Amino acid sequence: MRPLSKPIQSALSRSAAREGMGSLLSTATSPQTFVNPGALVNPSFAHGGCALRGAPAVALNSRHAGLQESRLIAPSSSSSSSWRGAASGVASLAVGTLLTASRQSLRRNRASRGPLTRARAFSTTATEAPAAGTILSESIKVPPTDERKYRAVQLANGMQVLLTSDETCDLSAAAITVKCGTFQDPDAVPGLAHFHEHMLFLGTEKYPKEDEYQKYLSENGGDSNAFTTTEYTTYYFKVPSESFQGALDRFAQFFVCPTFTESCVEREMNAVDSESTNYSSEDTWRLQQILKATASKNHPFSRFDVGNLSTLKSVDRQFLKDWNREHYQAGAMRLALVGRESLDELQRQVESLFGPVRPGDGCAFKYASKPWTEDCLQKIVHCVPIKEARAMSLCWTLPPTDENLFSKPDLYIAHFLGHEGAGSLHDLLNSLGWVDQLTAGPAQSFSDGQLFGLNISLTPAGDENRMTVLALALKWVELARKTGPQKAMFEELASLQQISFAHKEESPIQDDFVAGATHAMHRYPIDEVLRGVHALDEWKPELISEYFEMLKPENCIVFMTSSDFAGEAKASAPGWQREAWYSAPFKEQPLDVKDLEQYLPEGEELPLLAPQPNPFVPQDFSIRCTEPTKASKSQLKMDGPTLVRKSDLARVWHKTDCAFHTPRLYVMGKLFTPQYERGPRAVALTRLFCNIVLDDLNSLTYDATCAGLGYTVEFSDALTFNAGGFSDKLPLLLESFLGRLTDVVKDLEESELDDGSLTERGHDLLSGLEVQRQLLMQDYKNLTREEPWSVSNYYLGQMMVQGSWHLDEYRKALEEPIGLKDLAQAAREAFGQVQIELLVHGNATPEESNRIADKVIDCMKAMRAQALPEAKQRLVARTPCDRPLIFEYDLGAENPEQENSCTQNVYQVGTFGTDQVSDACLSIVTHIAHASAYQKLRTEEQLGYIVQAGPWVDGYVGGLTVLVQGNRLPPKEADLRIEAWLKQFGTEIAQMTDSEFETIVQAAVNERTQRLSSLSQETLKHWGEIATRRYLFDRTALVVEALRALKKEDVLQFFERYFSEGGSERRKVSVRVLGTSASDQPTTEACLHTLEDLRSYQATSDWWELPADVAVSSQT
């Protein structure tokens, strides 16, 4: 089963981690995700530091390389490697549901790490010392390598708590999940639970200032988040361990004595309303509302649950307090925390801080009907997306997932139906050129049932044959039902689950660990809260058969999402209607099962087969490191990789992992090639080639993704390939991947016979070329359907990066005739002259790394690669000091559904890594700016739901970025508000006491010196230096040294020079994207508008010089 969401590189393709600046900027890895437009997953509300992550809607397909360059993906604090299928296939299976994966991804995307946080609360006041808690368990089942200590206790008020003591941690965290969500909204007040979540962050009796919690976390290098789902709400934070007690005290007050200050109520309603406006133009949320419209009207899922000014107008302070008192009670809460204190000390803190929470069990879940009753089933629902997208979801109602926690029949079914190996539905549809992606699993899961989905992302050709696709999908389900439960398949799946748990690395982020634990505490026995999601202990074939029997056509709802329905919907053809809240068009019609027979081939047996045994299941978990005591997870003490081979063609770097003691290995490769300079057609064809290779490999290597392996090859302005996972089978995957890379080129060249006709293989490749061409075209066309912040980010790159090609140029290139030999020639050109950087890091000896390097270099030689004498680097434009550079784009004219506008200002500072004091000053300014801008522009002035201030990094140049997205003000006025805040911000820094400044500096140091918690984190840290060819592996130590030596006067002078109005080196870029709310209020200043304007600007622009330490020559 492939997970619904796939990790990808961040839109900041030249962001801190990729560019080796991870020691200056945040190094926490946080993969971004994509959502299948037909999957109808359950979005969750979340709020956090970097609201720019708040755009999960039908995003561009991560397989289509080069979109990193085009900046269409939400920025994050860093980037992570893009793995084919799943970065951790076993882990994805361990989740067991698409619901969990989608909630996690939307939570991570919607919330950024930092003070943009909002959450919920409880209310009670302490009058006497709380009683001691009762120990529930000290035998929590943990992975064999987990050395942390655990204890579960129940406080006297009924709250259950999981304590985790880790004496080596430098980052502590806590989370609470309340058994109360949007289903508990009063009928007359949709969105109350979500609004209540916002309000909890705005002051408590003990800490009445509305920004007290956020400010404390920000100043001490921490951050927080919260999200509301249907039946649960989760709040969590992380902070350096020395500041944990202060943060925990402030956090606890949310649930003890929230104030719900009246002055904040109306203002925060505006924030929720702005959030809802954001969602109204996102396909994920629009499709969610259509799904709600198909549910039983007597079930709370059918209700609108985001909230807006209309639905919340009757809410006041007393209303919130009453609702809080009824639902936010200790027995309905699960708390988890991890700190370096002893278990006894952690327990004492919890008893003191959370003991005063009001006792009680909250309200039981009782609903008037099932989510989907019989009259809701056997239907086809046509949906129209905003973006160009084509998908189909076949959905069935099944019993709740919590009824069978240790047999997980839905996981078995998802594994079968979502399989993509030879003989699968995906394999058949792919051979026809009809499918892009396929997933299976619970799309919605509640306490009284689940909606299980088989989700198919279609190509344009597949969309044209959608009824045949539906008929084939139902035949696939019928085959699974007739095949019946197979014990060998169950045992293989159970083995993968066990492997994922036994060799589980620490969570990359402590707050993710505690947030996940609190959810598990509501579902699993206390001893199983860590293992439960992985547990597949009970073989119950009769139960699996019962579930399969429920997957019949008469119980099915089919959602068909297609841009091709737009004309029919716009013309108000019979049956079409609009969803009440976001006006998304849809149409319902009966599902006639008998009618589907006409779409199947008569008398022809379908080439469908049950999944076969997985050859990639790892067997050898031995560890190569022989000196683990010498290793360190500290970024200050961590050794870099060693250069084990150097030639004009390749540099090979190696490091055997001795820190994490995990049987995992990562291979990272980057090929510098002049292909990008050859023009948009060369770029488009090279990306097509990469996608065809990935697609051609899918049926062969899909099993690898299920077994914890991943791989990718892509082209932005360089060719990159990555492979990673369990080291035992990684060489087998890499050999398959490299072999197919060369085979595809040869097959393309030999596709024509002497008479001009195509070979059978040639026909297959031509079909694959057309499919990938259509998908890439679809992605490029969707630029105007992206969120305004994403469009802004894209055009910022077009302005700043030398020689950037535009998506329209790629699209035009793809519209021209493309033959198989054209593709072969582009591949030969791309690989013809290269400089290779290769890193092999993890569970491998130097000899094993050299053997892997041999395979890679042999593959390159088979591609006829020669050494590239000099790898040219694309420069970054140096903005003039005497005037702001403004670019304005009228998005509303292209997308009438987009009401929001975006203003993004960038204040350039200069080259990174050449002046450590300047780098340190920028680090401090951006650290403080984050909370300050949010408080002023988002909380107080309510300029928009998305507000961000933080570091801007493009290639080797950095600065400060401030972004506002909303519908309240046109960009030209939002720019004035940003400038007013910036002036105030300078005053804030000047008025900061020495003690406050020292606290900020220490927080910045803490962020950059946090102990790494996974091998992949370390790999990315080293790869950032190698990929940018700067090789400064001790950069963290240098930056920390500069930070510790910094004085407030240094920062004030730096601010005055680069950011103050009239500053001698103030270089401002303003990108303004107009939504429909501002289309009639354009900028009156001189500004750029078109691609031609951008090209003219670049033709006369100055450029930042490339740092002297960047290697460009093969001789360097």
Side-chain angles (χ1 to χ4, degrees):
M1 177 186 66
R2 176 177 291 172
L4 180 65
S5 301
K6 301 194 298 183
I8 60 163
Q9 294 276 24
S10 160
L12 293 178
S13 59
R14 299 162 185 83
S15 70
R18 276 190 68 187
E19 296 311 319
M21 296 300 146
S23 56
L24 174 64
L25 306 177
S26 174
T27 57
T29 56
S30 176
Q32 300 299 298
T33 52
F34 289 106
V35 176
N36 180 341
L40 297 167
V41 297
N42 181 25
S44 59
F45 309 112
H47 316 278
C50 177
L52 283 182
R53 290 193 190 172
V58 194
L60 302 185
N61 192 322
S62 63
R63 296 191 309 136
H64 305 322
L67 295 181
Q68 305 152 352
E69 169 224 6
S70 58
R71 297 150 187 269
L72 291 179
I73 302 161
S76 70
S77 57
S78 67
S79 58
S80 67
S81 292
S82 172
W83 302 115
R84 170 69 170 178
S88 176
V90 175
S92 69
L93 287 177
V95 172
T97 69
L98 295 177
L99 172 70
T100 305
S102 63
R103 279 181 179 168
Q104 292 285 357
S105 66
L106 287 168
R107 162 171 57 90
R108 296 286 297 276
N109 279 348
R110 282 205 172 282
S112 54
R113 305 276 165 200
L116 294 190
T117 315
R118 290 286 169 268
R120 292 190 172 201
F122 306 55
S123 59
T124 304
T125 313
T127 55
E128 56 185 46
T134 302
I135 295 178
L136 299 176
S137 175
E138 291 187 313
S139 302
I140 310 296
K141 295 179 182 179
V142 300
T145 57
D146 190 344
E147 297 180 352
R148 295 180 292 190
K149 297 176 182 178
Y150 295 90
R151 176 186 296 169
V153 301
Q154 180 164 309
L155 304 185
N157 58 12
M159 183 186 297
Q160 291 188 13
V161 185
L162 178 67
L163 308 171
T164 304
S165 174
D166 181 357
E167 62 184 18
T168 67
C169 79
D170 49 18
L171 198 65
S172 298
I176 275 185
T177 291
V178 189
K179 192 175 181 181
C180 173
T182 62
F183 282 5
Q184 282 61 60
D185 286 345
D187 289 338
V189 192
L192 180 64
H194 176 214
F195 177 56
H196 177 272
E197 173 207 308
H198 277 240
M199 288 300 301
L200 278 194
F201 277 68
L202 300 179
T204 62
E205 291 180 13
K206 186 173 182 180
Y207 299 101
K209 291 183 179 180
E210 63 183 56
D211 66 340
E212 171 66 33
Y213 174 66
Q214 296 175 9
K215 185 177 180 181
Y216 180 88
L217 290 176
S218 178
E219 289 179 349
N220 289 281
D223 53 57
S224 64
N225 204 344
F227 59 96
T228 304
T229 61
T230 54
E231 295 178 309
Y232 297 96
T233 304
T234 299
Y235 308 85
Y236 56 101
F237 74 88
K238 70 176 186 293
V239 73
S241 295
E242 56 266 27
S243 304
F244 183 48
Q245 187 165 1
L248 193 65
D249 185 16
R250 288 161 174 79
F251 182 66
Q253 300 312 306
F254 291 176
F255 313 105
V256 174
C257 52
T259 55
F260 302 115
T261 305
E262 197 68 58
S263 62
C264 295
V265 171
E266 181 178 352
R267 192 176 64 209
E268 207 57 29
M269 280 186 193
N270 289 323
V272 171
D273 189 72
S274 178
E275 183 176 354
S276 183
T277 301
N278 265 13
Y279 297 159
S280 68
S281 59
E282 294 183 16
D283 278 325
T284 297
W285 293 88
R286 290 165 67 89
L287 295 175
Q288 173 80 353
Q289 288 303 130
I290 293 175
L291 178 61
K292 286 173 168 290
T294 69
S296 168
K297 304 308 177 195
N298 294 318
H299 192 275
F301 179 70
S302 66
R303 299 186 307 218
F304 178 61
D305 54 15
V306 180
N308 58 29
L309 286 175
S310 173
T311 68
L312 298 172
K313 60 186 177 183
S314 63
V315 177
D316 57 16
R317 180 172 183 264
Q318 190 58 48
F319 196 105
L320 286 165
K321 291 182 69 174
D322 292 344
W323 190 86
N324 175 279
R325 187 176 295 108
E326 181 181 4
H327 294 283
Y328 272 49
Q329 299 174 0
M333 302 177 188
R334 299 293 182 265
L335 167 66
L337 60 161
V338 56
R340 62 187 178 196
E341 296 85 353
S342 68
L343 289 175
D344 289 342
E345 176 57 27
L346 288 173
Q347 183 172 340
R348 280 192 290 270
Q349 289 184 22
V350 165
E351 289 168 348
S352 171
L353 295 175
F354 293 89
V357 175
R358 180 187 303 107
D361 295 329
C363 294
F365 295 159
K366 294 180 181 179
Y367 311 127
S369 79
K370 291 292 184 183
W372 285 269
T373 51
E374 188 173 338
D375 60 311
C376 300
L377 308 176
Q378 201 169 345
K379 292 180 180 179
I380 298 178
V381 183
H382 296 80
C383 312
V384 180
I386 291 177
K387 292 184 179 179
E388 186 168 329
R390 300 164 180 88
M392 179 184 301
S393 291
L394 289 75
C395 299
W396 295 267
T397 58
L398 292 178
T401 57
D402 288 359
E403 283 188 4
N404 300 287
L405 292 173
F406 296 98
S407 59
K408 296 182 172 67
D410 45 3
L411 176 58
Y412 179 95
I413 293 171
H415 179 66
F416 191 117
L417 297 183
H419 207 271
E420 298 184 15
S424 66
L425 173 64
H426 182 280
D427 190 38
L428 172 58
L429 295 177
N430 198 43
S431 69
L432 297 168
W434 291 356
V435 67
D436 182 26
Q437 300 177 42
L438 185 148
T439 64
Q444 302 288 334
S445 184
F446 318 129
S447 59
D448 59 344
Q450 63 168 299
L451 191 70
F452 184 94
L454 173 59
N455 310 304
I456 307 168
S457 180
L458 299 171
T459 66
D463 195 35
E464 290 174 4
N465 293 276
R466 65 178 72 95
M467 296 307 294
T468 304
V469 172
L470 175 56
L472 291 172
L474 289 172
K475 283 294 182 183
W476 175 236
V477 176
E478 182 181 328
L479 171 68
R481 189 166 55 247
K482 289 180 177 178
T483 300
Q486 302 294 305
K487 190 171 185 179
M489 188 186 303
F490 174 85
E491 290 175 343
E492 178 182 283
L493 190 54
S495 175
L496 292 172
Q497 296 291 97
Q498 174 58 27
I499 290 169
S500 73
F501 180 68
H503 300 281
K504 187 178 186 299
E505 291 188 284
E506 294 179 43
S507 173
I509 306 174
Q510 296 279 38
D511 51 352
D512 279 355
F513 166 74
V514 290
T518 57
H519 273 269
M521 291 169 71
H522 278 288
R523 302 181 63 207
Y524 289 93
I526 197 65
D527 286 347
E528 298 282 3
V529 293
L530 301 183
R531 191 186 78 98
V533 71
H534 303 264
L536 192 55
D537 303 337
E538 301 168 358
W539 166 238
K540 293 185 176 180
E542 69 288 346
L543 186 61
I544 294 173
S545 295
E546 286 179 23
Y547 273 53
F548 268 130
E549 284 300 312
M550 299 178 197
L551 304 186
K552 290 187 175 179
E554 55 266 29
N555 299 326
C556 187
I557 315 172
V558 180
F559 294 89
M560 293 183 174
T561 303
S562 175
S563 306
D564 292 352
F565 297 148
E568 192 179 331
K570 192 173 182 179
S572 300
W576 282 95
Q577 55 184 308
R578 287 189 174 267
E579 181 275 326
W581 296 97
Y582 293 155
S583 295
F586 71 102
K587 180 180 75 171
E588 294 180 304
Q589 67 183 52
L591 170 59
D592 188 341
V593 180
K594 292 181 180 179
D595 183 57
L596 293 176
E597 293 295 329
Q598 64 178 301
Y599 297 100
L600 296 172
E602 292 185 19
E604 189 176 326
E605 188 171 343
L606 296 172
L608 296 172
L609 300 171
Q612 301 302 300
N614 189 339
F616 288 95
V617 176
Q619 307 295 327
D620 179 8
F621 301 100
S622 59
I623 302 299
R624 302 296 190 266
C625 177
T626 57
E627 299 179 306
T629 56
K630 294 184 178 181
S632 175
K633 298 178 183 179
S634 166
Q635 297 186 65
L636 288 176
K637 301 176 182 179
M638 186 172 285
D639 294 329
T642 302
L643 183 63
V644 295
R645 187 185 303 187
K646 179 182 177 183
S647 69
D648 290 351
L649 182 64
R651 289 184 181 88
V652 180
W653 303 83
H654 158 80
K655 183 178 180 182
T656 300
D657 167 53
C658 288
F660 298 98
H661 230 56
T662 176
R664 291 178 173 85
L665 181 65
Y666 295 100
V667 179
M668 315 287 285
K670 185 170 184 178
L671 280 67
F672 294 89
T673 167
Q675 187 74 338
Y676 192 88
E677 301 165 34
R678 294 187 175 111
R681 180 174 170 84
V683 174
L685 291 184
T686 306
R687 291 173 181 171
L688 270 181
F689 172 76
C690 293
N691 293 343
I692 287 171
V693 170
L694 291 174
D695 190 65
D696 202 53
L697 271 168
N698 189 70
S699 62
L700 174 67
T701 57
Y702 171 75
D703 282 331
T705 67
C706 292
L709 299 171
Y711 66 98
T712 190
V713 58
E714 58 193 21
F715 180 68
S716 54
D717 51 6
L719 279 157
T720 58
F721 63 91
N722 308 318
F726 288 108
S727 56
D728 179 32
K729 300 294 184 178
L730 188 63
L732 175 60
L733 172 64
L734 197 60
E735 188 173 345
S736 300
F737 164 60
L738 294 172
R740 189 58 61 93
L741 194 68
T742 55
D743 288 346
V744 168
V745 176
K746 292 177 181 177
D747 291 344
L748 287 167
E749 292 174 330
E750 299 170 359
S751 58
E752 288 188 16
L753 299 172
D754 293 339
D755 61 2
S757 61
L758 293 178
T759 63
E760 183 177 350
R761 173 66 169 152
H763 281 291
D764 290 342
L765 288 170
L766 187 62
S767 174
L769 186 157
E770 179 58 20
V771 167
Q772 297 304 321
R773 187 188 69 84
Q774 291 176 350
L775 292 173
L776 206 50
M777 287 271 289
Q778 176 176 297
D779 290 347
Y780 291 155
K781 289 177 182 177
N782 275 332
L783 171 62
T784 58
R785 296 300 184 263
E786 292 291 334
E787 284 294 292
W789 61 259
S790 185
V791 176
S792 170
N793 213 26
Y794 174 76
Y795 277 106
L796 183 60
Q798 289 284 305
M799 295 171 69
M800 293 293 101
V801 183
Q802 186 181 40
S804 295
W805 305 117
H806 193 275
L807 292 185
D808 285 345
E809 294 173 302
Y810 298 141
R811 182 173 52 79
K812 289 175 183 176
L814 291 171
E815 289 172 347
E816 298 173 0
I818 301 173
L820 297 180
K821 291 192 175 180
D822 296 328
L823 207 60
Q825 181 181 350
R828 290 293 187 195
E829 289 176 348
F831 287 90
Q833 277 194 311
V834 297
Q835 290 180 18
I836 305 170
E837 294 283 355
L838 186 70
L839 170 65
V840 183
H841 177 221
N843 197 39
T845 64
E847 294 75 21
E848 288 171 322
S849 290
N850 269 307
R851 286 197 291 272
I852 288 173
D854 286 339
K855 292 180 185 293
V856 172
I857 292 172
D858 288 346
C859 173
M860 294 303 105
K861 289 180 177 179
M863 299 286 284
R864 304 173 192 166
Q866 300 292 321
L868 176 67
E870 182 176 328
K872 293 183 179 179
Q873 300 282 336
R874 296 166 68 199
L875 302 180
V876 177
R878 185 185 181 103
T879 306
C881 288
D882 57 344
R883 66 190 185 282
L885 177 64
I886 303 172
F887 176 80
E888 186 173 81
Y889 180 77
D890 191 350
L891 181 62
E894 302 291 336
N895 179 10
E897 300 283 351
Q898 185 53 257
E899 182 180 347
N900 289 308
S901 298
C902 176
T903 306
Q904 182 174 13
N905 288 357
V906 168
Y907 303 87
Q908 289 187 335
V909 170
T911 305
F912 273 132
T914 57
D915 182 342
Q916 298 295 344
V917 174
S918 177
D919 291 353
C921 287
L922 179 59
S923 180
I924 294 298
V925 168
T926 57
H927 180 95
I928 307 170
H930 192 60
S932 175
Y934 185 83
Q935 177 63 25
K936 181 64 176 179
L937 302 176
R938 161 65 164 75
T939 302
E940 295 177 15
E941 297 192 3
Q942 295 286 307
L943 297 189
Y945 175 62
I946 295 177
V947 172
Q948 181 192 38
W952 171 78
V953 182
D954 207 331
Y956 52 95
V957 178
L960 169 69
T961 181
V962 187
L963 184 148
V964 173
Q965 177 175 303
N967 63 353
R968 183 178 171 191
L969 293 177
K972 63 181 181 181
E973 293 186 27
D975 173 73
L976 296 176
R977 298 293 185 94
I978 291 172
E979 288 294 336
W981 162 77
L982 193 59
K983 183 176 181 180
Q984 172 191 305
F985 178 50
T987 303
E988 289 176 20
I989 297 176
Q991 294 176 348
M992 192 177 292
T993 66
D994 290 342
S995 175
E996 289 172 335
F997 182 77
E998 289 171 5
T999 299
I1000 293 293
V1001 169
Q1002 187 58 49
V1005 170
N1006 290 341
E1007 285 182 350
R1008 286 144 191 82
T1009 58
Q1010 290 168 7
R1011 186 178 66 106
L1012 299 183
S1013 57
S1014 70
L1015 177 65
S1016 59
Q1017 277 186 324
E1018 185 185 348
T1019 300
L1020 290 172
K1021 175 180 170 62
H1022 299 322
W1023 183 241
E1025 292 293 334
I1026 294 169
T1028 55
R1029 314 193 88 176
R1030 300 186 81 166
Y1031 315 125
L1032 192 60
F1033 299 110
D1034 62 346
R1035 189 181 301 276
T1036 297
L1038 296 176
V1039 173
V1040 167
E1041 182 181 357
L1043 282 169
R1044 286 175 171 161
L1046 207 61
K1047 304 299 182 184
K1048 191 176 84 169
E1049 291 71 23
D1050 299 328
V1051 176
L1052 287 172
Q1053 291 173 11
F1054 177 85
F1055 188 93
E1056 183 67 26
R1057 180 181 181 185
Y1058 291 105
F1059 305 130
S1060 291
E1061 190 171 359
S1064 62
E1065 293 293 328
R1066 191 180 202 252
R1067 303 176 186 274
K1068 175 183 173 182
V1069 183
S1070 183
V1071 181
R1072 302 172 183 182
V1073 178
L1074 309 182
T1076 56
S1077 61
S1079 290
D1080 60 344
Q1081 302 180 66
T1083 297
T1084 54
E1085 303 166 77
C1087 60
L1088 311 178
H1089 289 280
T1090 65
L1091 181 59
E1092 289 71 24
D1093 291 343
L1094 294 178
R1095 295 283 163 81
S1096 296
Y1097 163 71
Q1098 287 205 351
T1100 59
S1101 175
D1102 291 333
W1103 303 93
W1104 292 100
E1105 291 185 5
L1106 196 68
D1109 60 342
V1110 176
V1112 294
S1113 170
S1114 60
Q1115 303 295 323
T1116 304

